[in-house]
Amino acid sequence: MDNKKKAVTQDKLVALCKSRGFIFPGSEIYGGFANTWDFGPVGVELKNNIKRSWWKRFVQESPDTYGIDAAILMNPRVWEASGHVASFGDPKMDCKNCKQRFRADTLIEAHSKGKVAAEAMTNEEMEKYIEEHDVKCPHCGVRNWTPIRKFNPMFVTSRGTLESDADKVYLRPETCQGEYVNFLNVQRTARAKVPFAIAQIGKSFRNEITPGNFLFRTVEFEQMELQRFCKESDSMDIYSEYKEKALKYIEDLGLKKENLRFHDHDKLAHYAKAACDIQFLFPMGWQELNGIHHRGTWDLSRHQEYSGKAMTYIDPFTGEKFIPNVIEYSIGADRLTFALMCEAYEEETLANGETRVVMHFHPAIAPYKVGILPLQKQQSEKAKEVYAKLSKKFMCDYDEAGSIGKRYRRQDEIGTPFCVTVDFDTLNDDTVTVRDRDSMEQIRLKIDELAAYIEKSLEF
Ligand code: ATP
């Protein structure tokens, strides 16, 4: 897989996603709907497996982390407390020529291939950069921009029957507020002692305007994130610990070291003590994959102020009463899916001169763990028995259409780590051929040995 990443372009990946059932453009028969994507039968398995791997690592294997699933619609006061109603705004500019709207910071980051950290720039600095570097509209190629304006990306809807301001509710732009408002509930019911964390995976919504970088920035997306509540004196150590844990998780999933880097923020929110992203080398350059933020006591203090509930913790050993500091670790499930697809993609030239496309997913996240292929129609019945047996344990794909070579290629393209071929001999001795996706080597195994053999590879 060395250096194969270079071979993947966004266009190639989007085409593969569409042809193989990973991801389709949202509302496609109506001409699409900007920055929305629908996960197909193969893609939904991939994303679900990624979410499961995250939950396993950060909840199941972390005894002091508690999972929740909070409501998407929250009391609108939450968004006043969080500051989103008043100030959450992205720097937007419109192209006067084609009327498309873009985020100034992302235009600069795309133009500089991720070398310039636009989040640290003021609006004036961004406008100056765009002029001096002749940054043109990615849509029409002309440079004729409006000045930068702030634009609140929260989607607004209403509850009840009257559409008045009093009924206004927001689709959450981030999942973490669900953890903050449940801090007391979880601490009490789990009898949790600081430091502990609350985690969740769920949808967030942002009215994003983007130059169309596939799953990278969409208007609805899933976040996998946790908030660790701790004493101030431990907080910097915990912040550093999560930087390492976050990096290890994505490396273990298959992202290569050379395609990852830490990016410590120069400009911090007024309440933050430290902040960093891990960036990945996407086809369009270095971009944020996840964030780790030291948020101080800001979130719980604000909710204490706006709700009137004391968001305090009493240390059972010292009796000290305090509002905990928060370390946040947040990663987008869709953005990570995109990164893992980029990394997994390879166009391999075979000994016979043919090319195969293969997705080298870690078996734990591969959409299907095994493809079951009868060599000829006569073995279909036996192959269906194998399918019935293995599908009790993992997602299996059954395919009897076309030549065996073509069926192997299809499984390679959707990243199935093993193909089991049921042939004439199987009917006599209950053995099958098992083909490894990456090495293409084949071994012969008893049907009864298959489950354990595949299971071993799934460890994560
Ligand atoms: P960016 O600077 O890219 O807009 P952010 O700093 O606003 O991201 P956070 O609010 O910290 O991002 O969200 C945490 C994570 O959620 C991001 O690192 C990213 O993986 C994911 N994410 C954020 N916005 C989007 C989006 N519009 N589409 C897909 N994933 C997103």
Side-chain angles (χ1 to χ4, degrees), residues 22 46 253 337 340-341 344 359-367 413-417 437-438:
F22 281 99
L46 175 66
L253 273 187
T337 303
L340 287 164
M341 291 190 85
M359 298 296 274
H360 294 282
F361 294 125
H362 188 300
I365 59 163
E413 289 184 13
I414 60 175
T416 309
R437 173 196 67 199
D438 298 338

Side-chain angles (χ1 to χ4, degrees), residues 428-432 434 444-451 453:
N428 298 321
D429 63 5
D430 264 356
T431 64
V432 289
V434 182
R444 200 80 192 164
L445 282 184
K446 285 263 185 214
I447 291 172
D448 281 349
E449 296 167 333
L450 283 174
Y453 181 78

Side-chain angles (χ1 to χ4, degrees), residues 109 114-120 239 243 260-267 275-279 286-288 290-293:
E109 279 161 15
K115 289 198 189 85
V116 176
E119 96 253 335
Y239 172 73
K243 279 174 74 169
L260 293 168
R261 68 182 189 193
F262 283 114
H263 163 65
D264 293 308
H265 290 203
D266 303 326
K267 193 175 127 193
C276 124
D277 303 333
I278 297 178
Q279 297 183 332
W286 288 101
Q287 296 283 349
E288 171 178 337
N290 69 215
I292 301 114
H293 304 131

Side-chain angles (χ1 to χ4, degrees), residues 103 174 206 208 215-219 221 223 288-291 293 328 330-332 334-335:
R103 260 174 75 164
E174 58 183 27
R206 292 184 195 171
E208 300 264 23
L215 296 183
F216 180 78
R217 193 180 297 287
T218 50
V219 289
F221 53 97
Q223 291 185 300
E288 171 178 337
L289 178 59
N290 69 215
H293 304 131
E328 171 185 64
S330 178
I331 179 161
D334 311 80
R335 206 176 274 189

Side-chain angles (χ1 to χ4, degrees), residues 122-293:
T122 62
N123 286 357
E124 291 68 38
E125 284 165 344
M126 284 194 275
E127 280 170 355
K128 194 158 167 248
Y129 180 99
I130 284 168
E131 196 181 321
E132 282 175 359
H133 293 81
D134 195 24
V135 180
K136 298 195 170 76
C137 169
H139 186 249
C140 69
V142 171
R143 181 167 64 81
N144 187 9
W145 298 109
T146 62
I148 294 175
R149 284 180 298 234
K150 286 274 182 188
F151 171 87
N152 193 316
M154 276 205 294
F155 281 105
V156 183
T157 184
S158 57
R159 72 180 283 168
T161 46
L162 293 175
E163 271 188 45
S164 73
D165 259 11
D167 301 309
K168 205 170 175 184
V169 288
Y170 302 96
L171 297 189
R172 67 179 178 202
E174 58 183 27
T175 45
C176 58
Q177 299 301 330
E179 281 104 293
Y180 302 142
V181 302
N182 280 294
F183 165 71
L184 297 172
N185 285 336
V186 174
Q187 192 277 320
R188 190 187 67 247
T189 53
R191 290 164 297 138
K193 293 193 178 57
V194 162
F196 73 95
I198 307 182
Q200 85 169 311
I201 297 178
K203 281 230 166 167
S204 291
F205 303 81
R206 292 184 195 171
N207 197 356
E208 300 264 23
I209 288 146
T210 87
N213 282 325
F214 193 33
L215 296 183
F216 180 78
R217 193 180 297 287
T218 50
V219 289
E220 62 172 273
F221 53 97
E222 282 183 280
Q223 291 185 300
M224 312 190 284
E225 48 91 25
L226 61 83
Q227 313 294 317
R228 191 148 177 90
F229 301 96
C230 56
K231 281 186 176 171
E232 187 177 5
S233 52
D234 298 334
S235 61
M236 278 319 284
D237 286 346
I238 290 176
Y239 172 73
S240 307
E241 189 190 314
Y242 272 90
K243 279 174 74 169
E244 292 312 317
K245 282 187 174 174
L247 182 66
K248 180 157 184 350
Y249 166 66
I250 49 184
E251 282 183 358
D252 288 351
L253 273 187
L255 299 185
K256 292 214 202 81
K257 258 191 186 19
E258 63 266 30
N259 294 326
L260 293 168
R261 68 182 189 193
F262 283 114
H263 163 65
D264 293 308
H265 290 203
D266 303 326
K267 193 175 127 193
L268 296 177
H270 65 89
Y271 52 80
K273 300 206 178 127
C276 124
D277 303 333
I278 297 178
Q279 297 183 332
F280 175 71
L281 188 54
F282 284 95
M284 62 281 186
W286 288 101
Q287 296 283 349
E288 171 178 337
L289 178 59
N290 69 215
I292 301 114
H293 304 131

Side-chain angles (χ1 to χ4, degrees), residues 61-132:
E61 295 173 9
S62 306
D64 53 9
T65 299
Y66 306 94
I68 62 163
D69 183 17
I72 287 175
L73 299 178
M74 303 181 81
N75 188 312
R77 292 274 287 161
V78 168
W79 306 110
E80 287 170 32
S82 69
H84 287 81
V85 171
S87 68
F88 189 54
D90 293 328
K92 295 283 161 56
M93 52 202 312
D94 292 334
C95 170
K96 289 195 218 160
N97 187 49
C98 69
K99 314 290 180 228
Q100 297 282 318
R101 181 170 286 171
F102 296 91
R103 260 174 75 164
D105 53 344
T106 52
L107 280 176
I108 294 173
E109 279 161 15
H111 180 269
S112 68
K113 299 232 172 324
K115 289 198 189 85
V116 176
E119 96 253 335
M121 296 165 98
T122 62
N123 286 357
E124 291 68 38
E125 284 165 344
M126 284 194 275
E127 280 170 355
K128 194 158 167 248
Y129 180 99
I130 284 168
E131 196 181 321
E132 282 175 359

